[in-house]
Amino acid sequence: MLIISQLEAVAQTGAIKGRVTAAGQPLEFVTVVVPGSTLGVTTARNGEFALAGIPAGSHELVFSFLGYETSRLSLTVADGQTAEANVKLQPTTSRLREVVVTGVSRSTEIRKSPVPIAVLSKRQMNLNSNSNIVDAAVKGVPGLSAVTTGPNISKPFIRGLGYNRVLTLYNGLRQEGQQWGDEHGLEVDQYDIDRVEVVKGPASLIYGSDAVAGVINLLPAMPNGPEGAVVGDAVAEYHSNNGMVGTSAGLSYRKRDWQYAFRASQKTAANYQNRVDGRVYGTAFRELMLSGMAGITKDRWFSHWYTTLYDNRQEIPDGSRDSLSRRFTKQIFELDRDNLTQRPVVTEDGLHSYSIGALHQRIQHYRLFTRSQVRLGQQELTALLGAQQNVRREFNHPTAPQQAGLYVALTTFNYDLRYSLPSWQGLETTLGANGMYQRNRTRDATDFPIPSYALFDAGGYVFLKRTFGKLDLSGGLRYDARTLRWDAFFVGPNPATGFAQRVGARTDLAPQFPAFRKLYRGASASLGATYNLSEQLLLKANIARGYRAPNITEVGSNGLDPGAHIVYLGNRGFTPEFSLQEDLGLTTYRPNLDASLELFNNHIRNYIYQAKLYDADGQPVVIVPGNTTYQYKQSAARLYGLEATINLHPQSTRWLAFENSLALVNGLNKDRHLLETNGRAAKYLPLIPPLHTRSEVRITLAQPVKGLDKMYFRAGAEYYAAQNHFYAVDNTETRTPGYVLLNAGAGTTFTNRQQVSVCQLFIQLDNILDTAYQSHLNRLKYFEYYAVSASGRRGIYNPGRNFSLKVIVPF
């Protein structure tokens, strides 16, 4: 730091200010950066920006904003002077020049990355109604899907792979909660996210284990606005289907080299509804989110600190009903006295209530981390250090509502170091090391699906990149090691409560989890190329070997997860998964259209999946009454498919856009013994999304109309084909019929006489025809207690028609 301070003392600096417009109107949220430095800002509501601490000399400014051509401006900054830079941006739909930070060793244009990467802006997410951030990303990225448990729990899947195979980041920090469970969502404030970057394909080279399917990086907004002024926004959102009310307020402040930001958000919802089930009891939720940021940015270094708090009370339905009326019922006694046929029917007040029932889960997540970078010439050192804790309680005792069935606290310490060497004969080299230490502890609980455990993970890599004319090559090697261990874990009766409890080692008891220790190791590698056939036509190819160590539930589970209503059985002998994936892509951006085609083929050794457990007589194994038993299995697997997009935006009618996408993935089970025993029932993998297409027509008025700017109208259709390729062994999955969902929306920005934004309005109507459907990835499809239903329909259906309204007021 002393050297850096001395360098700053002798440096001569100035400033740059200016205004960005398009068609005579100011543009807000345009990104303005000085390439090769950490200096950057976004424009304010009036289109203005200011950059301080610019070293004296010649510089290039890059202006980028989704929907507009990237503009580059060269200018000279004099010591102690302020240079002016006013820029007019031209509309476009090309995203080839967009810069991403996820899945690459250093900031890279999308056109130069051989791995498929998709980007979603804040405005794109606002165009759709979403209950959580994963749903927002799913609606904008072909190949991305989600396993859901009601409207507020969505687990991301990329090309048919999910759970611990998809690594989720919050501004580069690994999101570490109890993500191994079906009913565990992401502990992230959707109103805080300004941008989402999705890597489709193995990213184990950069991130290690758990990125074998891809990465989703959720990036919060950086402080923007005029220096020395407090700016912010207020958000209000309403959904008619479950009465969800969401509100959020954010503030940011910049002064000289310092930046500060704070946001508080909340969401409250009652039970959702559809025309088959009516109100679905047990799907209400209540969330509170707080986040803060403070940082300092100099011309050669920066250090930013982040902290977040997440608190969610979430109900989980169990699907119990009256056998004839199909009205939902609720459990009022413990399992030893519970009689499914005599459970009371939930009242209308109970179905419409916003209050959280006694049987629910509470998730609290705390996060503190820092991102820092130092630049000395062409050298760049980046460090991320973080700590987070996830506390999860699942309350499943109706006669003792304060007693948690599951109560675990997961503490994680993360580190990520990257050193970018100076370029040598055009070769860019990056060395990196990252990993984590993790400790999970069981507290005052009665159910124990997993033991208390400790995990240590470490890995290092080298990443190389070089350009040969029109050809961009990149690749590298990585090695990882992970240790997973736990001591013998004993469970015995608690005489005071009548429930089970954790006890010390006893000679009269066999441990529920015998002591375990194992080291998992693996190597990752990738090699990719992007060939610029022309400025507007790219050919990409990549081959990558991914690595993933088994997670805690796959290895160590042996008990009931009360929130999932599932007894999980793991396998201590599992070995790591290794994938070999080939990607081939063709992308073109023309004046009147852009199109892409991405093909992938993925072979996985030691693929781990869960399946229902049946006995030798073909009867389901019931360990805990009223709960399904699943056992983890391991075999070879193959996944292959494609994503395609065709987006029309005629230059002669700039107000019109017609966007289309298609995603297809097939998952094949390669377990020879299982195939010989069960035939076609074992041919496919579980949790594979069906063929999905999305089409949308959008009309955007080019000129403001009486204080209304950026007015748009949109209509779209989503088609999900029937899923006939499912894992049918022991009825683990069943066929899912196809369906079509029609949606429409409109919105505008209200402006004052100075053409400055006053508020933004987004209106959306989803599932216009109130179609009754079950997504193949909806876990509630299998929440059914009866072999035969009086209505002929089994399980719980997805939400029906929903009208949403969102208002954003900047200030």
Side-chain angles (χ1 to χ4, degrees), residues 313 334 356-360 362 393-407 444-446 497 499:
R313 288 175 171 86
E334 300 298 329
I356 304 301
L359 307 185
H360 70 281
R362 184 180 184 186
R393 284 171 283 180
E394 297 181 357
F395 298 94
N396 65 324
H397 294 295
T399 62
Q402 302 303 314
Q403 174 62 61
L406 177 70
Y407 191 172
D444 181 21
T446 65
T497 64
F499 302 124

Side-chain angles (χ1 to χ4, degrees), residues 358-426:
L359 307 185
H360 70 281
Q361 58 180 335
R362 184 180 184 186
I363 308 99
Q364 295 165 289
H365 194 95
Y366 311 94
R367 185 187 291 111
L368 175 65
F369 68 102
T370 178
R371 293 174 53 86
S372 302
Q373 186 181 93
V374 176
R375 294 180 61 89
L376 295 174
Q378 292 186 341
Q379 302 176 75
E380 183 178 286
L381 177 62
T382 305
L384 183 149
L385 301 174
Q388 54 189 311
Q389 184 178 64
N390 184 280
V391 179
R392 179 176 295 273
R393 284 171 283 180
E394 297 181 357
F395 298 94
N396 65 324
H397 294 295
T399 62
Q402 302 303 314
Q403 174 62 61
L406 177 70
Y407 191 172
V408 289
L410 178 69
T411 304
T412 306
F413 299 95
N414 303 88
Y415 68 93
D416 189 334
L417 305 173
R418 300 186 188 186
Y419 174 55
S420 298
L421 282 69
S423 177
W424 178 72
Q425 294 188 350

Side-chain angles (χ1 to χ4, degrees), residues 328-635:
F328 287 98
T329 59
K330 63 179 179 179
Q331 180 185 353
I332 59 174
F333 297 112
E334 300 298 329
L335 290 178
D336 58 349
R337 296 180 53 202
D338 183 40
N339 186 329
L340 181 66
T341 61
Q342 296 181 6
R343 289 184 176 183
V345 172
V346 181
T347 65
E348 284 299 311
D349 288 342
L351 289 173
H352 289 81
S353 175
Y354 280 88
S355 62
I356 304 301
L359 307 185
H360 70 281
Q361 58 180 335
R362 184 180 184 186
I363 308 99
Q364 295 165 289
H365 194 95
Y366 311 94
R367 185 187 291 111
L368 175 65
F369 68 102
T370 178
R371 293 174 53 86
S372 302
Q373 186 181 93
V374 176
R375 294 180 61 89
L376 295 174
Q378 292 186 341
Q379 302 176 75
E380 183 178 286
L381 177 62
T382 305
L384 183 149
L385 301 174
Q388 54 189 311
Q389 184 178 64
N390 184 280
V391 179
R392 179 176 295 273
R393 284 171 283 180
E394 297 181 357
F395 298 94
N396 65 324
H397 294 295
T399 62
Q402 302 303 314
Q403 174 62 61
L406 177 70
Y407 191 172
V408 289
L410 178 69
T411 304
T412 306
F413 299 95
N414 303 88
Y415 68 93
D416 189 334
L417 305 173
R418 300 186 188 186
Y419 174 55
S420 298
L421 282 69
S423 177
W424 178 72
Q425 294 188 350
L427 180 66
E428 297 181 7
T429 304
T430 299
L431 304 177
N434 47 31
M436 62 183 175
Y437 170 75
Q438 193 169 81
R439 186 178 68 176
N440 196 55
R441 290 293 178 264
T442 297
R443 296 181 176 174
D444 181 21
T446 65
D447 298 293
F448 308 93
I450 59 172
S452 296
Y453 69 89
L455 179 152
F456 180 76
D457 180 269
Y461 64 90
V462 57
F463 188 91
L464 306 172
K465 182 168 59 175
R466 197 181 192 289
T467 298
F468 300 89
K470 295 183 176 182
L471 179 66
D472 297 301
L473 291 178
S474 62
L477 298 170
R478 180 188 178 98
Y479 186 80
D480 280 282
R482 172 175 292 185
T483 300
L484 178 64
R485 63 177 177 84
W486 63 80
D487 298 327
F489 190 106
F490 293 82
V491 176
N494 185 335
T497 64
F499 302 124
Q501 65 175 344
R502 183 179 182 181
V503 298
R506 288 168 41 177
T507 57
D508 61 325
L509 286 176
Q512 181 166 327
F513 305 97
F516 178 84
R517 181 184 180 93
K518 191 164 185 178
L519 173 65
Y520 302 98
R521 294 177 292 184
S524 306
S526 74
L527 178 63
T530 299
Y531 186 72
N532 297 261
L533 297 169
S534 70
E535 183 65 20
Q536 298 174 322
L537 182 62
L538 301 178
L539 178 64
K540 299 186 177 187
N542 192 76
I543 183 169
R545 184 183 198 254
Y547 151 82
R548 183 182 78 91
N551 65 32
I552 179 61
T553 187
E554 294 166 344
V555 175
S557 59
N558 183 27
L560 172 67
D561 181 352
H565 304 292
I566 293 175
V567 175
Y568 291 101
L569 302 177
N571 189 321
R572 298 156 67 95
F574 279 163
T575 54
E577 292 181 349
F578 291 97
S579 70
L580 183 64
Q581 179 165 320
E582 302 93 21
D583 286 275
L584 184 64
L586 184 66
T587 303
T588 181
Y589 284 87
R590 311 295 296 179
N592 294 311
L593 69 87
D594 61 78
S596 68
L597 176 63
E598 298 170 353
L599 307 172
F600 67 92
N601 183 41
N602 191 5
H603 293 270
I604 304 178
R605 288 194 293 120
N606 310 322
Y607 177 80
I608 300 173
Y609 63 99
Q610 54 180 257
K612 285 184 180 179
L613 184 61
Y614 279 65
D615 60 23
D617 298 324
Q619 298 299 313
V621 174
V622 177
I623 297 177
V624 179
N627 296 272
T628 308
T629 303
Y630 278 79
Q631 186 173 50
Y632 285 97
K633 299 183 178 182
Q634 191 167 45
S635 71

Side-chain angles (χ1 to χ4, degrees), residues 21-94:
T21 59
Q25 304 300 317
L27 277 183
E28 186 180 7
F29 302 128
V30 176
T31 300
V32 185
V33 298
V34 180
S37 77
T38 60
L39 298 170
V41 71
T42 56
T43 57
R45 284 174 287 170
N46 58 6
E48 295 181 355
F49 71 93
L51 284 167
I54 308 294
S58 298
H59 295 278
E60 181 184 50
L61 282 184
V62 177
F63 301 81
S64 60
F65 188 55
L66 186 64
Y68 293 85
E69 289 278 3
T70 296
S71 178
R72 299 172 183 267
L73 177 66
S74 298
L75 75 171
T76 301
V77 176
D79 180 31
Q81 301 297 314
T82 299
E84 190 166 330
N86 297 317
V87 173
K88 297 179 181 179
L89 296 186
Q90 299 299 320
T92 184
T93 57
S94 175

